[in-house]
Amino acid sequence: MNMHAQQPQRTGAETALLEAYDSRLSVLPGDGAVTVKRDNALEVLKAGLPTKRIEAWHYTDLRRLLTAVPQHDASAVADKLGALLDGSAVLPVLNGVSSANLPSVDGVRFERLEDKLRDGSFAPALEVQGTDDAIGALNAAFVADGYFVDIEADAEIAAPIELQNIQAGGQTHSRFPVRVGDRAKVTIVERQTGEGAGLSTSISHLTLGEGAEVLWIIVQDQPDDSTYLGQFNAALGKDSKLTLFFMNAGGRLVRQEVRVGTAGEGSDFQLRGINLLAGDTHTDVTMVLDHTKPHTGSRELIRNVVTGKARGVFQGRINVHQIAQKTDAKMACNTLLLSDDGEFSTKPELEIFADDVQCGHGATVKEIDHDHLFYLKARGIDEKTARGLLVKAFLAEVIEELEVEPIVEALEARLDQWFATHG
Amino acid sequence: MPAVQETIEQVRKIDVDQYKYGFETIIEMDKAPKGLSEETIRFISAKKNEPEWMLEWRLGAFRRWLTLEEPTWARVDYPKIDFQDIHYYAAPKNQSGPRSLDEVDPELLKVYEKLGIPLKEQEILAGVQKQPDGELDEANDNVYKSGRVAVDAVFDSVSVVTTFKKELAAAGVIFCSISEAIREHPDLVKKYLGSVVPTTDNFYATLNSAVFTDGSFVYVPKGVRCPMELSTYFRINEKNTGQFERTLIIAEEGAYVSYLEGCTAPQRDENQLHAAVVELIALDDAEIKYSTVQNWYPGDAQGKGGIYNFVTKRGDCRGDRSKISWTQVETGSAITWKYPSCILRGDDSRGEFYSIAVSNGYQQVDSGTKMIHLGKNTSSRIISKGIAAGFSQNTYRGQVSAHRKATNARNFTNCDSLLIGDQCGAHTVPYIEAKNSSAQFEHEATTSKISDDQKFYVMQRGIPEEEAIALIVNGFVKEVIQELPMEFAVEAQKLIGISLEGSVG
Amino acid sequence: MLEIKNLHARIAEDGTEIIRGLNLTVKAGEVAAIMGPNGSGKSTLSYVLAGRDDYEVTEGDILYNGESILEMDPAERAASGIFLAFQYPMEIPGVATMEFLKVAMNAQRKARGEEPLKIPELLKRVKEAAGSLNMDIAMLKRPLNVGFSGGEKKRAEILQMKLLEPQLCVLDETDSGLDIDALKIVADGVNALRSPDRAIVVITHYQRLLEYIVPDSVHVLYRGQVIKSGDKSLALELEANGYAGVIDEAA
C-alpha cells in the first residue's frame, strides 16, 4: 500500500528531508547493502510523512506537525552528561557521533555503530517495519552512529550501562542495538536530551536471551523547541523478563514508540511510564505489544500530567496471537488534566485471537481528588502545595514500582526538577 | 429466567446455522432497474410522489457521494460492492404507500404473522404478558403497562402499514412512514432531516441520503409522553435489492418516546446491502429510548451470503437535560458496521449506549458508539458486551470525547468480551479524548473466556454443559438485556442462545 | 452408597499424581469426616468425586449405589444425587440466585423425568429453606455469590444442598471462613439433612466443625491415601496430638 500516493504536494519538511538525503548520503557511513536499505527507507519517506488518516498516527499528524527540519551541523558541540545512576558505564553519542573511547566492563562488548555501518554488517537491521514506520524510515535513511552492546550469557552486570544521545541543535540519527545473552542481567539507561531546536531520531533494538532480565530506563528531557522521535524495540526470549520505564519531560514534538514481542514462552514484559507535559508540547507514546507465545504476561501502567497547552497521546495495543493461550495482559493509563488548554487522548486497544486469556485495560481522565485535597488543606497545607503533593504522589507511584532504591531516588529527583521549572 | 430454558429448547430444535426467518415470500414486485444514477434517484422520488425540494436534496447527496470513497478503517473484510448491481427500489405491487390494515395484501400480512409481528391492533407482541413468575424477575420497570405496541412495517423499500395511527394522533404523536411525512409534514422533515447526520456525513450515510426509500417518522410534541411503544420491523425480501431506510425521531420539549426496531431477511447465497440512517433529536428535557434487535440473515455456516449492515445512527441531545439511550442486540448480518452515537450538546444532557454483539460462523462485527460531550455537565455511559464464537471477528470501537467547553463531562465505559473457541477474535478499540480539565472519564475493558471454574460449578448443580454456558452467557449480558423493553428482552435472550448454537464444543 | 476403590488420580495438565490408591466406603445414613493436613488431597478428592475434568483417574473406581460414575459428566453426577458444597463457591455475575436455583432444580428434575416445579411451589420451598438458614430472601435476587460475604456464600451452598435434596453430600472445608454463629447455622442445616438414606462426607482440616456435625466415622487422608480410619474419637485425638503421630504410625 502506498500510503499517501494521493498527496499532491510535499510539505516544507518533506522537501527538506529529501534534500538532506541528497546532500548527506555521500558522507553517511556504509555503502552497498547499507545504501540499498537507506534508499528503500527513502522510498517510504517519498510517499509522504504519515497523517492522522494512518491509524498508528491518528493523534499525531506528523505531516502537519513536523515543521522544522534543521540541517546536520557537524561543527556543533554537545557535552557528555553526568550519569543518572552512580557508577554507570557511560556511552555518549554527542551531536550524532559516538566516542572511540569505549568503556571496559566485564562480560560486555561495546562497538561503535559507525563501524558496523561501514563494514555493512548492520545492513539487515535497517529494515523498515511497514509503511507506517516513519521513524524507522527516517532513521534508516540517515543513521550515522550509535553503539552496539553485547552482553554475554550468564553475566550479571552490576554497573548500569548508560546510553546518551545528545543533540546540539541540528539533525541527528542514532541507533542502539543491544543483545543480552541467556540468563544475563543488566540495567540500561537511555538518555535523550540536548540543546537547541534539533531534530533527533533514535532507535534501540533489544534482544533478550533465555531467562535474561533487563531493566531499561528511558529519560527524555529535550529542550522545548526540539523534535524527538524515538523507537524502542524488544524481542523477549523464553522465560526472560523486561521492565521498561520511560519518562517524557521535554521536547516540542515527541513520539516514543515501544514495540515489544514476547517471542519466548513464559516471558514477561512490564512497562511503567510517566509523561510530564507542559508548554505547547505534543507528546505521543505509542506501544504495540505482541503476545506470540503461550504463557506470557504483561502489565503496563502509564501516568500523565498535562499542564499549559500541552497535548498528550497514549496509544497502547496488545495483540494476542492465536497460539498465545494463557496470556495475562493488563494495561492502565491514568491522566490528570491540570489545565483547560491542555488535552490528552488515549487509545488502549486489545486485539485478541486466543480464547484462554485474561486481558484487560483501564483508562481514566480525572481531576485531582477533591477529598484528598480537602484532607491536606484541613491539615493546614495551602492549596498550591497540596495540589503539588498530590500530583507528585500520583506520578511517584509509578516510579516506586521499580523498587530499586537508588533508581527510584534518581528518577524522583528528575521529577522534582521538572516540578521546580513547571510546577 | 424463563428465557434460559426456552433458549435451550430452541437451540435443541434447530439444526446448525438454521436461520428461523430465512424464508422467502413470493410477492409481485415493482422494481427499479438495477444500477445507480440520477435517473434511479428521480425514479425513486417520483414513485414516492416527492416534492421537488426532496429530489434536489437527494441529488445533492448523490453528487457528493460520487466524490467519496468507501471507508476502510473498520475491521471488516469483504469483496468490493458493485453499486451498479443492486436494485435501489423494490415494492410490493399496488403497495406504494401505507394504507389501512384491511387493504394490505393478505400475503404480506402472512409474512409478518410468520415473523411473529402483530399488525392487528388488538394484538400484543408475544412475550408481553407478564411472566407468571414475575416475582422472580426483578427486571424492567419501564415497560408500558398497556403492553400495546404500534408497528410500522417496512417491506423492502416501502412501509406497508402503520398501526395505531389514530390513537397516537389523538395524543398528538405523529407515527408514519418517512415517505408519508415528506408529503404530509414537510416543514418538520425539512427542519430536521439531515440535521443530525448531514448528507455529507460518510460514504454510506450519503448514499442513503440519495436513495433512501422508506423508514419511520416519529414526532412527539411538547410535554407528551408517547402512550405506547413504537416499533418498526424491517424485512428485506427481494433478491439483489438494497434496503436503505431512513428514520427520523423528534422529541419536543419534555416529550418521551420508546422506539423499537427489528430486522430480518431471507436466507440467500448472495450478500445484500442494508445502509440505514437513523436521526434522533431530543429537545429540552426530552427523552428518547431507542432499542434494536438486529437479526438480519448472517450467512451460512461457511460464511456464504448474509446482509452487509452499514448503518449510521446518531442522536442529538440538542436540548438541556435531554437524554438519548441506545440499546442494541446484534446477532445477525454477515458484516455489521454501526456506531449509534450521542452528541451531548445541551447542558446536563445524557447519552447511554448498551450493546450486546454476538458473532458466530464467519460474521464480522465492528460496532460501538461515540459520545461527544459538548455541553456543560453532560454525562454518558457505555456498556458493551461482545461474544465471539466460531470463526467470527467481533470489534468494539468507541469514541468518548470532551470538548474545551464541556465542563464536568462524565463518562463511564465498560466493555467486556467473551471468546468461545480459539478460531475467533475479539477486539477493543476505544478512543478517549479529553480537552477539559474537569472531565472525568473512566474506561475499563476485559477479554476472557467462560471460566472453567464457573462452568464446573454450574454443572455440579446438575445443569448440562450447553445450558450451563447459556446461563453464564445470559448472566454476562444481563446488564444490557434489562435495558430492553420486556417484549424484546425475552426475544433477545432467545436470539443470543440461537446465535451461539453449535459454538459449544 | 459410596465405594472408592484403589483410586489414583492426577492433574490432567501436568500429570502430577494427587490421589494414590485411596480406599473409602461410606454407607447410607452415615456421616463420614475426612481430615488431613494441607496438601493431602482433600479438595482433589471432592473434585474427582464431582467429575472435574482437570483431574484424570488413572486407576481404580468410584462406585455410587454400586455403579461406576467415572464416565459421567459433572451434571449427570449431580442429577444422580451427588452434591458438592464448594470450599470457594463461584460467583456467577448477572444470574440471580433465585433464577439459578430454579434452573438447577428443574434441570435435575428433568434428568429424572419429573415435571418442572410450578412457580408457587418453587417459591414456597425456597422461602422455607432460606428461612431455616436465616437467609434474607432479598439476597436471592442478587447475582449468585457476587459480593456475598464468606458466610453468605457458605449458607448459599447449604441452601442449594437443601433444595436439591442430594443422596450424597460432599462438603469441602465448609467451615473455612465462618464465624461461630454462621458455623452453627450451617451445621444445623447439615444436621437437618441427616437421614437413613443419605450419606454425608465432611472434608475438614479442623476438628471444630465436627463438634457441630458429629461424624459416624473419621478418616485421615495423607498423600492421597486414607492412612487411618476410626470413630469420632479419632478426630479428638488428632486435635490433641496433631497429624504427626498418625502419619508416623502409618509409615
Side-chain angles (χ1 to χ4, degrees):
Chain A
M1 188 186 78
N2 194 342
M3 50 181 190
H4 321 283
Q6 72 279 16
Q7 285 170 12
Q9 271 196 320
R10 295 213 160 101
T11 62
E14 284 166 347
T15 308
L17 285 169
L18 299 182
E19 285 171 5
Y21 187 74
D22 288 339
S23 63
R24 290 277 295 156
L25 183 61
S26 59
V27 296
L28 289 172
D31 48 18
V34 169
T35 306
V36 169
K37 295 289 183 184
R38 291 191 193 280
D39 287 344
N40 290 347
L42 190 76
E43 286 307 309
V44 175
L45 294 178
K46 273 185 182 163
L49 294 171
T51 68
K52 63 181 180 194
R53 302 176 76 92
I54 304 298
E55 194 57 28
W57 295 84
H58 186 75
Y59 291 110
T60 299
D61 190 319
L62 191 63
R63 188 168 191 264
R64 188 173 60 79
L65 293 172
L66 183 67
T67 48
V69 178
Q71 295 299 309
H72 175 69
D73 176 4
S75 65
V77 178
D79 296 323
K80 184 175 158 180
L81 300 174
L84 179 77
L85 304 172
D86 290 343
S88 297
V90 177
L91 293 116
V93 175
L94 305 177
N95 192 29
V97 181
S98 67
S99 161
N101 185 14
L102 296 167
S104 161
V105 177
D106 275 354
V108 189
R109 188 165 59 87
F110 300 108
E111 278 184 64
R112 299 178 73 186
L113 200 77
E114 188 194 344
D115 297 339
K116 292 178 73 70
L117 287 164
R118 282 204 194 285
D119 68 17
S121 62
F122 197 67
L126 293 178
E127 197 66 51
V128 179
Q129 305 177 60
T131 52
D132 58 2
D133 182 15
I135 297 177
L138 254 175
N139 187 279
F142 292 102
V143 62
D145 212 338
Y147 292 98
F148 171 57
V149 180
D150 190 9
I151 296 166
E152 64 185 41
D154 298 301
E156 287 199 23
I157 312 299
I161 295 170
E162 179 161 317
L163 306 166
Q164 296 184 350
N165 188 35
I166 302 171
Q167 53 95 4
Q171 210 185 119
T172 55
H173 304 274
S174 313
R175 284 219 182 197
F176 301 95
V178 176
R179 191 164 66 197
V180 180
D182 294 350
R183 297 166 301 280
K185 286 183 186 165
V186 66
T187 295
I188 293 174
V189 177
E190 178 187 329
R191 304 281 292 275
Q192 298 289 351
T193 186
E195 275 178 40
L199 164 60
S200 173
T201 74
S202 175
I203 296 185
S204 44
H205 275 272
L206 171 67
T207 51
L208 277 80
E210 207 174 305
E213 278 184 37
V214 174
L215 169 61
W216 187 297
I217 295 165
I218 303 173
V219 177
Q220 182 278 114
D221 47 1
Q222 296 277 7
D224 293 343
D225 48 2
S226 69
T227 300
Y228 170 69
L229 303 171
Q231 190 181 82
F232 173 89
N233 300 273
L236 274 59
K238 189 168 183 291
D239 297 319
S240 66
K241 184 175 175 177
L242 168 64
T243 303
L244 173 65
F245 175 88
F246 70 81
M247 177 190 282
N248 279 311
R252 190 189 64 80
L253 171 59
V254 173
R255 165 117 159 171
Q256 174 70 57
E257 296 182 354
V258 174
R259 300 175 173 216
V260 174
T262 63
E265 263 190 56
S267 55
D268 181 80
F269 174 59
Q270 301 287 323
L271 176 64
R272 302 288 180 273
I274 57 184
N275 287 308
L276 308 170
L277 309 181
D280 61 354
T281 184
H282 177 107
T283 297
D284 173 330
V285 174
T286 293
M287 180 201 80
V288 179
L289 168 61
D290 281 283
H291 283 272
T292 55
K293 284 281 157 58
H295 294 279
T296 62
S298 65
R299 290 276 180 286
E300 295 83 31
L301 174 62
I302 314 295
R303 294 232 164 133
N304 317 294
V305 168
V306 184
T307 68
K309 291 180 175 173
R311 274 169 302 161
V313 177
F314 173 70
Q315 304 187 103
R317 191 167 88 221
I318 299 176
N319 298 323
V320 178
H321 295 232
Q322 202 209 328
I323 65 155
Q325 296 292 359
K326 308 279 180 191
T327 292
D328 184 348
K330 300 265 180 316
M331 174 161 66
C333 176
N334 312 117
T335 304
L336 278 180
L337 268 183
L338 300 179
S339 137
D340 275 341
D341 295 322
E343 57 186 72
F344 201 92
S345 300
T346 320
K347 185 165 64 130
E349 284 182 70
L350 292 172
E351 197 168 297
I352 298 177
F353 292 97
D355 62 335
D356 194 1
V357 299
Q358 291 291 330
C359 298
H361 63 228
T364 61
V365 178
K366 292 231 158 122
E367 289 183 284
I368 291 173
D369 188 311
H370 290 287
D371 294 339
H372 292 169
L373 198 59
F374 177 74
Y375 182 84
L376 291 182
K377 287 201 283 190
R379 291 289 171 270
I381 300 168
D382 69 86
E383 167 113 12
K384 188 168 187 288
T385 313
R387 281 179 173 273
L389 278 173
L390 290 171
V391 174
K392 221 179 278 181
F394 169 76
L395 298 163
E397 273 176 16
V398 181
I399 297 174
E400 276 152 19
E401 290 204 7
L402 296 178
E403 285 176 353
V404 185
E405 194 133 324
I407 296 177
V408 171
E409 278 175 18
L411 290 170
E412 290 190 344
R414 308 297 307 176
L415 195 61
D416 288 339
Q417 248 175 43
W418 188 84
F419 274 101
T421 37
H422 299 92
Chain B
M1 192 163 52
V4 173
Q5 203 58 43
E6 285 171 50
T7 300
I8 303 305
E9 293 303 315
Q10 205 91 22
V11 167
R12 289 231 173 89
K13 269 186 255 160
I14 59 172
D15 296 322
V16 179
D17 81 277
Q18 187 180 332
Y19 177 71
K20 183 176 159 194
Y21 308 101
F23 62 87
E24 180 184 357
T25 312
I26 307 298
I27 279 183
E28 228 186 318
M29 297 296 280
D30 185 6
K31 280 195 284 196
K34 270 188 185 173
L36 181 55
S37 64
E38 294 205 359
E39 282 320 296
T40 322
I41 290 158
R42 286 177 202 283
F43 176 93
I44 294 169
S45 191
K47 278 281 172 197
K48 302 267 169 197
N49 292 322
E50 283 177 358
E52 189 61 26
W53 62 266
M54 195 64 237
L55 175 63
E56 284 309 316
W57 196 83
R58 287 173 179 277
L59 290 172
F62 176 66
R63 286 166 201 144
R64 170 79 185 187
W65 181 75
L66 292 172
T67 69
L68 298 177
E69 282 186 47
E70 226 174 317
T72 53
W73 44 261
R75 181 184 255 294
V76 293
D77 184 27
Y78 55 94
K80 212 162 170 48
I81 296 170
D82 181 355
F83 289 95
Q84 297 305 332
D85 195 35
I86 297 173
H87 292 287
Y88 286 84
Y89 181 86
K93 273 244 163 85
N94 309 318
Q95 183 71 50
S96 54
R99 43 178 77 189
S100 74
L101 262 179
D102 43 8
E103 284 176 273
V104 177
D105 184 340
E107 276 303 310
L108 267 178
L109 289 180
K110 273 189 210 157
V111 173
Y112 287 90
E113 203 175 305
K114 216 164 155 185
L115 294 172
I117 298 158
L119 293 182
K120 290 182 188 161
E121 297 193 349
Q122 72 274 22
E123 274 187 16
I124 51 176
L125 269 181
V128 168
Q129 291 102 327
K130 225 160 165 19
Q131 300 294 330
D133 53 336
E135 209 172 333
L136 296 181
D137 277 292
E138 80 264 43
N140 244 303
D141 292 328
N142 46 6
V143 184
Y144 285 86
K145 298 291 181 252
S146 71
R148 288 180 312 172
V149 181
V151 176
D152 183 20
V154 177
F155 193 82
D156 288 328
S157 302
V158 293
S159 165
V160 290
V161 71
T162 308
T163 61
F164 286 109
K165 278 172 84 166
K166 274 188 197 142
E167 192 168 338
L168 287 167
V173 175
I174 304 171
F175 180 39
C176 63
S177 73
I178 191 95
S179 307
E180 185 181 338
I182 290 167
R183 292 189 303 266
E184 308 294 329
H185 310 282
D187 293 345
L188 284 173
V189 175
K190 262 191 201 169
K191 184 170 174 189
Y192 291 109
L193 188 72
S195 73
V196 187
V197 180
T199 55
T200 52
D201 196 79
N202 71 70
F203 185 81
Y204 300 112
T206 303
L207 174 65
N208 173 287
S209 300
V211 303
F212 75 86
T213 43
D214 223 329
S216 300
F217 175 82
V218 177
Y219 175 81
V220 188
K222 191 170 168 177
V224 171
R225 192 179 163 87
C226 186
M228 64 184 81
E229 296 272 355
L230 305 183
S231 76
T232 302
Y233 277 86
F234 295 99
R235 172 78 177 166
I236 299 180
N237 185 62
E238 197 57 23
K239 243 191 279 210
N240 298 323
T241 300
Q243 190 175 55
F244 303 91
E245 89 262 5
R246 185 104 192 176
T247 294
L248 177 59
I249 300 178
I250 303 139
E252 288 274 14
E253 280 173 46
Y256 171 85
V257 61
S258 170
Y259 178 91
L260 328 169
E261 171 198 65
C263 357
T264 57
Q267 209 161 325
R268 295 186 190 286
D269 286 349
E270 316 88 54
N271 296 108
Q272 277 178 286
L273 179 62
H274 171 256
V277 172
V278 175
E279 297 177 276
L280 312 182
I281 296 123
L283 300 178
D284 287 358
D285 300 296
E287 179 175 350
I288 302 175
K289 190 171 160 59
Y290 192 107
S291 311
T292 305
V293 173
Q294 187 267 106
N295 184 27
W296 295 116
Y297 176 55
D300 69 10
Q302 279 71 46
K304 200 168 182 197
I307 300 289
Y308 291 166
N309 192 34
F310 301 130
V311 172
T312 303
K313 290 184 168 175
R314 197 173 303 155
D316 190 351
C317 284
R318 208 165 279 183
D320 293 347
R321 296 166 303 279
S322 58
K323 179 177 168 188
I324 289 178
S325 164
W326 298 99
T327 305
Q328 61 173 25
V329 177
E330 301 281 316
T331 60
S333 297
I335 294 175
T336 300
W337 181 101
K338 173 180 172 188
Y339 316 89
S341 305
C342 296
I343 299 170
L344 304 168
R345 202 182 302 276
D347 291 347
D348 301 291
S349 61
R350 178 169 175 84
E352 292 175 344
F353 175 75
Y354 299 96
S355 170
I356 299 168
V358 184
S359 58
N360 199 355
Y362 286 87
Q363 282 177 278
Q364 304 175 56
V365 182
D366 195 300
S367 184
T369 185
K370 289 184 190 182
M371 293 290 172
I372 310 296
H373 293 256
L374 302 175
K376 293 183 174 49
N377 307 316
T378 52
S379 62
S380 60
R381 181 177 167 85
I382 298 171
I383 306 289
S384 165
K385 306 280 178 182
I387 301 165
F391 298 88
S392 68
Q393 298 297 328
N394 200 323
T395 303
Y396 167 83
R397 188 183 303 277
Q399 181 186 13
V400 176
S401 79
H403 284 242
R404 288 259 177 268
K405 290 177 181 163
T407 318
N408 293 321
R410 295 284 180 274
N411 167 265
F412 175 78
T413 298
N414 176 288
C415 30
D416 295 325
S417 303
L418 206 56
L419 288 147
I420 301 179
D422 63 357
Q423 300 294 315
C424 48
H427 318 295
T428 313
V429 192
Y431 299 73
I432 304 157
E433 303 161 2
K435 296 183 182 175
N436 186 289
S437 66
S438 57
Q440 299 214 14
F441 290 172
E442 265 181 85
H443 168 100
E444 51 189 53
T446 64
T447 303
S448 55
K449 68 167 190 171
I450 291 174
S451 95
D452 290 338
D453 290 335
Q454 277 183 347
K455 198 171 85 180
F456 174 67
Y457 182 85
V458 174
M459 287 177 74
Q460 209 298 311
R461 297 304 180 247
I463 301 168
E465 186 172 12
E466 280 215 338
E467 277 185 67
I469 287 173
L471 184 83
I472 295 167
V473 168
N474 275 331
F476 175 73
V477 300
K478 179 67 170 243
E479 230 181 320
V480 176
I481 291 281
Q482 65 194 15
E483 293 297 322
L484 284 170
M486 178 82 88
E487 49 274 63
F488 266 29
V490 176
E491 198 62 29
Q493 278 186 331
K494 283 190 208 169
L495 257 181
I496 292 164
I498 293 168
S499 304
L500 289 173
E501 157 70 356
S503 66
V504 177
Chain C
M1 174 170 290
L2 175 68
E3 204 180 346
I4 304 175
K5 290 189 200 164
N6 187 32
L7 186 72
H8 290 257
R10 63 184 188 191
I11 299 172
E13 197 179 9
D14 61 11
T16 312
E17 189 166 61
I18 307 285
I19 305 292
R20 303 164 184 168
L22 187 145
N23 291 290
L24 178 71
T25 303
V26 184
K27 296 192 188 65
E30 184 179 336
V31 174
I34 295 186
M35 303 183 70
N38 286 331
S40 57
K42 299 191 301 289
S43 283
T44 301
L45 176 61
S46 72
Y47 285 146
V48 171
L49 281 172
R52 191 166 177 145
D53 61 7
D54 299 49
Y55 300 95
E56 286 171 359
V57 172
T58 51
E59 211 184 320
D61 207 347
I62 303 171
L63 304 181
Y64 168 64
N65 289 331
E67 290 186 38
S68 174
I69 58 169
L70 292 184
E71 294 302 313
M72 293 161 76
D73 81 9
E76 290 165 339
R77 294 186 198 197
S80 76
I82 298 175
F83 181 93
L84 170 62
F86 285 64
Q87 184 180 1
Y88 304 108
M90 293 308 299
E91 299 186 352
I92 315 287
V95 178
T97 307
M98 190 62 131
E99 293 169 358
F100 182 78
L101 292 171
K102 184 185 144 201
V103 174
M105 286 165 79
N106 283 336
Q108 292 206 13
R109 293 178 71 86
K110 190 171 172 184
R112 293 192 295 262
E114 296 165 17
E115 283 297 303
L117 278 177
K118 294 263 189 299
I119 299 300
E121 173 62 20
L122 180 95
L123 276 175
K124 190 171 140 248
R125 289 192 193 189
V126 173
K127 278 180 182 162
E128 269 176 26
S132 73
L133 288 166
N134 259 356
M135 286 172 80
D136 186 356
I137 199 88
M139 201 173 103
L140 303 179
K141 292 188 175 173
R142 286 159 54 190
L144 183 62
N145 293 328
V146 178
F148 287 18
S149 70
E152 285 172 331
K153 283 183 182 173
K154 294 298 168 71
R155 264 186 253 190
E157 291 292 284
I158 303 303
L159 174 71
Q160 292 175 50
M161 189 162 92
K162 270 181 174 284
L163 291 167
L164 294 169
E165 299 175 333
Q167 275 187 286
L168 172 64
C169 310
V170 181
L171 287 80
D172 186 9
E173 309 245 359
T174 295
D175 49 334
S176 69
L178 289 187
D179 63 33
I180 197 73
D181 292 333
L183 186 68
K184 278 182 187 159
I185 291 165
V186 166
D188 287 348
V190 175
N191 286 329
L193 285 169
R194 290 180 92 139
S195 94
D197 48 12
R198 179 175 286 141
I200 298 175
V201 176
V202 181
I203 293 174
T204 183
H205 188 75
Y206 300 108
Q207 198 266 341
R208 188 177 74 151
L209 179 66
L210 304 181
E211 286 172 19
Y212 300 95
I213 305 173
V214 181
D216 300 306
S217 61
V218 174
H219 310 270
V220 179
L221 190 63
Y222 181 67
R223 291 194 176 160
Q225 287 186 334
V226 173
I227 56 167
K228 187 167 185 179
S229 298
D231 60 15
K232 62 184 175 189
S233 63
L234 177 57
L236 294 170
E237 186 191 325
L238 289 170
E239 177 80 359
N241 308 323
Y243 289 104
V246 179
I247 291 166
D248 289 345
E249 196 182 306

